Amino acid sequence: MEQKDLDLQHLAGTLLSQIRNYGIKDISCEQYEIVLKRILSFANESGYDHYHTKLREEFDTFIDSKVKDGKFCYEYGRFQHRVIRMLDSMAVTGKVDFSATQRNHRMYKVTEKSYATIQQALDYHNLMGESRVEMDIVMRHFFHYAEKITGSEDILVTDKLLMDFFTQVLPSTNKGSMGRSLRAIKYLSAYLKSLKQSDLKLDFSQLNARSSHVRVIPPYSQAELKSLIEKIDTSTKVGVRNLAIILLAFDTGLRSVDIKALCLKDIDWYNGRIQVRQSKTNVPLQLPLSGKVMNAIAEYILNARPDSKHDEVFLTTKAPYKPLNKRRYGFSNLLDNYAFDAGIEKISGRGFHSLRRSFAVELSEAGVSIETISQLLGHKSIAEDKPYLSYNREQVAFCAIDFREIPVVNGIYAGGDHDENN
């Protein structure tokens, strides 16, 4: 095929645009952008200013050497191979190849019937993008193993077959996340059960990979936040902006990435609320705003925000004015500076994300249920709240009361008086 004369910078920008249009989450798009920059840097050092198919070969070799030397983990190396393959497909065909990597297809060959089952399972769970690729690899790995063990192309999936794969095969062959592999097994099991396959009895949804110690995020107290806010110079435009950002974080518990992505149209001034689509989960979230926070945001927009065509609320303070970079612009530094000026002790692990825990702790101490707090934090399950919540001592004490005020009609404590010293 004739080699096209394509500018690498333009090609990379077009690919990133196609990736976003495909529906891949913002947080994943940032990873694609990072790898594309690495590819451009590698191309520049290798003497390429326009795309050539040899660039892919050389970059693949470079990444393989990094993985072999332990500089990159296998999964990150695989991801970079995927990005250069997508860049190559766009350069050669004009279209982006979003399919699973071909080298993995060669690694785990399966029959057409097994492959069809895999695709149906992926469709059943509405998986797409990188998640679909990852689950596809694990499922093909399983069917490749099952076909080899049974010697049959017509696989009847049983509990034993799945458990043997998970306990005997994956520990020695798995090069990625065990949690990812377990997730694929859960997806496959749930799909097969939906077909009323009687041979599957175990509830694989109850299996969980061994989790690491839960990191508890240290919060800021009300008094510390008050002292910190008093150090913000609101006579400057940057001070007005930073005050609005900090108050918004404490009042809503929003992640910094979602504050950076907050747009003017997301604010419902009449009803006093905001609605965002969370970057981490892609799930919509609606949150109330207090009058104090609305006033701070309004003050910034009316008197400190630069004139700009951008829709994002918070912008840089120096020209050219643009939205705050989701990855490079950190809020923790600005918070640390104000905290230092206020004489607040620097605690390991405490940064801007601690405002999210402060939000959760304040609600908990006010008696708000954990279920409600979890919803306000935008979590999918209460289990995700562990790093953000401390136990409410009064609620725990209430649970520890004795039975004297409770009528007991059954069991060994039923009827009669009992010695309170027993």
Side-chain angles (χ1 to χ4, degrees):
M1 182 177 291
E2 182 181 352
Q3 177 67 50
K4 298 179 181 179
D5 190 28
L6 297 171
D7 179 74
L8 272 170
Q9 288 281 356
H10 177 74
L11 189 64
T14 304
L15 174 58
L16 194 59
S17 177
Q18 291 289 326
I19 290 170
R20 291 195 175 103
N21 292 337
Y22 189 69
I24 292 174
K25 296 177 182 178
D26 287 346
I27 194 167
S28 296
C29 287
E30 291 175 6
Q31 294 300 316
Y32 279 98
E33 186 176 5
I34 290 171
V35 175
L36 282 170
K37 287 182 178 179
R38 175 174 286 119
I39 292 172
L40 291 176
S41 176
F42 177 85
N44 182 57
E45 293 175 0
S46 302
Y48 293 99
D49 55 358
H50 288 74
Y51 187 79
H52 196 284
T53 52
K54 287 185 178 180
L55 173 61
R56 178 184 175 183
E57 297 175 11
E58 294 178 12
F59 187 74
D60 278 337
T61 302
F62 166 73
I63 295 302
D64 285 339
S65 67
K66 290 292 184 181
V67 173
K68 183 178 180 181
D69 294 341
K71 303 293 185 181
F72 295 148
C73 69
Y74 172 82
E75 284 300 313
Y76 191 47
R78 183 182 67 82
F79 178 67
Q80 293 185 81
H81 284 306
R82 171 177 169 78
V83 178
I84 189 66
R85 176 175 59 83
M86 293 166 72
L87 191 71
D88 181 72
S89 69
M90 169 162 274
V92 175
T93 69
K95 297 180 180 180
V96 183
D97 179 10
F98 286 100
S99 63
T101 53
Q102 295 174 357
R103 62 172 62 196
N104 284 315
H105 275 301
R106 291 197 299 268
M107 186 183 300
Y108 302 122
K109 290 184 177 180
V110 296
T111 64
E112 290 186 7
K113 184 172 182 178
S114 294
Y115 185 75
T117 300
I118 292 169
Q119 300 311 307
Q120 290 161 7
L122 298 173
D123 291 340
Y124 177 79
H125 292 285
N126 298 315
L127 296 175
M128 62 182 295
E130 189 67 11
S131 293
R132 187 181 182 97
V133 172
E134 291 179 344
M135 297 301 100
D136 174 81
I137 294 170
V138 179
M139 290 182 190
R140 278 188 289 102
H141 188 182
F142 166 73
F143 277 100
H144 177 79
Y145 158 78
E147 290 170 4
K148 182 178 179 180
I149 290 295
T150 62
S152 172
E153 295 185 357
D154 189 10
I155 301 300
L156 179 64
V157 180
T158 64
D159 291 331
K160 185 178 187 307
L161 204 55
L162 282 173
M163 286 302 296
D164 286 349
F165 173 70
F166 184 65
T167 60
Q168 299 178 22
V169 178
L170 285 178
S172 59
T173 63
N174 183 54
K175 297 180 180 179
S177 164
M178 187 60 78
R180 182 199 68 174
S181 299
L182 179 55
R183 191 163 68 251
I185 291 175
K186 289 179 179 180
Y187 282 144
L188 180 60
S189 173
Y191 167 67
L192 294 175
K193 280 189 174 184
S194 73
L195 301 179
K196 309 299 182 183
Q197 183 168 336
S198 59
D199 294 86
L200 288 175
K201 304 294 184 182
L202 294 179
D203 184 2
F204 284 90
S205 66
Q206 298 301 314
L207 286 177
N208 289 296
R210 182 179 178 182
S211 58
S212 58
H213 177 70
V214 176
R215 178 177 65 95
V216 176
I217 302 171
Y220 284 96
S221 68
Q222 283 271 18
E224 288 175 325
L225 281 170
K226 182 179 179 182
S227 299
L228 184 151
I229 288 172
E230 288 175 351
K231 293 299 179 180
I232 300 177
D233 184 3
T234 54
S235 66
T236 65
K237 292 184 177 181
V238 66
V240 173
R241 184 200 65 180
N242 292 348
L243 175 63
I245 289 172
I246 293 171
L247 289 178
L248 178 62
F250 178 65
D251 194 60
T252 64
L254 277 178
R255 301 179 180 90
S256 61
V257 66
D258 292 325
I259 291 177
K260 295 171 189 175
L262 183 69
C263 293
L264 297 170
K265 66 178 184 298
D266 296 330
I267 305 176
D268 183 347
W269 297 100
Y270 182 78
N271 293 300
R273 62 192 181 194
I274 57 173
Q275 181 162 326
V276 298
R277 183 169 290 277
Q278 300 174 90
S279 297
K280 184 175 181 179
T281 63
N282 202 36
V283 175
L285 179 64
Q286 189 176 97
L287 295 168
L289 289 178
S290 68
K292 184 176 182 179
V293 175
M294 290 180 67
N295 288 338
I297 297 175
E299 175 69 18
Y300 168 69
I301 292 174
L302 295 174
N303 299 316
R305 184 178 184 271
D307 291 332
S308 173
K309 64 180 180 180
H310 296 289
D311 191 39
E312 285 81 0
V313 174
F314 299 108
L315 305 176
T316 57
T317 55
K318 296 181 179 179
Y321 304 112
K322 55 186 178 181
L324 304 176
N325 187 284
K326 293 179 182 178
R327 181 164 295 275
R328 296 195 191 92
Y329 195 95
F331 286 154
S332 287
N333 286 338
L334 69 88
L335 198 65
D336 285 346
N337 291 335
Y338 292 131
F340 178 81
D341 292 342
I344 298 172
E345 179 186 1
K346 175 63 178 176
I347 298 176
S348 177
R350 189 160 72 171
F352 189 82
H353 203 65
S354 296
L355 296 179
R356 185 167 165 83
R357 186 178 183 225
S358 299
F359 165 77
V361 169
E362 290 295 324
L363 291 177
S364 177
E365 293 181 351
V368 178
S369 70
I370 294 179
E371 290 82 4
T372 300
I373 296 173
S374 184
Q375 291 176 359
L376 292 172
L377 288 172
H379 288 160
K380 293 181 178 180
S381 70
I382 294 177
E384 296 179 53
D385 300 321
K386 291 180 181 178
Y388 299 93
L389 293 175
S390 298
Y391 288 108
N392 186 309
R393 292 179 180 272
E394 292 182 2
Q395 292 184 26
V396 172
F398 177 79
C399 294
I401 64 175
D402 61 28
F403 294 114
R404 282 177 293 180
E405 302 300 324
I406 303 173
V408 181
V409 296
N410 293 311
I412 62 173
Y413 293 106
D417 296 327
H418 301 280
D419 185 350
E420 63 181 10
N421 293 321
N422 289 341

